[in-house]
Amino acid sequence: MVMFVFLVIALVVVVAAVTLAVVGGGSRAVLPEAGPETVTDAFPEDRPLARADVDALRFPVVLRGYRMTEVDDALSRLGAELAERDARIAELESARAGDQAHAVGGPGLLAPPPEPGATEEGPAGTRGEGEQR
């Protein structure tokens, strides 16, 4: 029984010494502090995003998944780029549609149709009743 108590006390002392050595129980730290792993320059700022930029994006894994702020920043940048591209596509398509309409129907294609009963001289009833052409 005495031998068992001696082994338990020795085991506790060894575990405590190893723990203090690893954690750094003195004034100097044995293990240096590790900086937080973050995404630096997730996307290039000097040019529009490309497919390869999105494929190369990797978020560091933390205790409970990913850092929400880093993911939110990346998603907001992607959303802004997509909105900008959608606006540019819509602008180009409307310009193209206008050019096609002008080329096919001439400048009067988009003009409103004449009112019913209107003649070349003007609306109906501007000529006298007895006048004829």
Side-chain angles (χ1 to χ4, degrees):
M1 177 75 173
V2 174
M3 187 65 147
F4 177 74
V5 173
F6 175 73
L7 286 176
V8 170
I9 292 174
L11 181 66
V12 169
V13 170
V14 169
V15 168
V18 170
T19 303
L20 286 175
V22 170
V23 174
S27 62
R28 70 177 182 93
V30 176
L31 295 177
E33 288 292 325
E37 192 176 350
T38 60
V39 175
T40 56
D41 299 331
F43 294 123
E45 296 292 332
D46 58 339
R47 63 177 172 78
L49 294 178
R51 170 75 187 224
D53 296 326
V54 178
D55 289 341
L57 179 65
R58 296 290 178 260
F59 295 107
V61 179
V62 293
L63 183 61
R64 293 181 60 193
Y66 299 107
R67 291 192 198 315
M68 289 191 316
T69 56
E70 291 175 357
V71 175
D72 290 345
D73 290 344
L75 288 176
S76 65
R77 171 76 191 274
L78 283 171
E81 290 269 340
L82 289 174
E84 186 177 313
R85 288 182 185 179
D86 288 345
R88 180 69 177 145
I89 289 170
E91 176 186 325
L92 291 173
E93 284 179 344
S94 67
R96 181 177 172 220
D99 288 346
Q100 285 179 347
H102 185 70
V104 170
L109 179 67
L110 299 177
E115 294 180 15
T119 61
E120 291 180 11
E121 289 84 21
T126 54
R127 286 203 237 158
E129 291 281 326
E131 288 184 33
Q132 293 185 359
R133 282 189 168 177

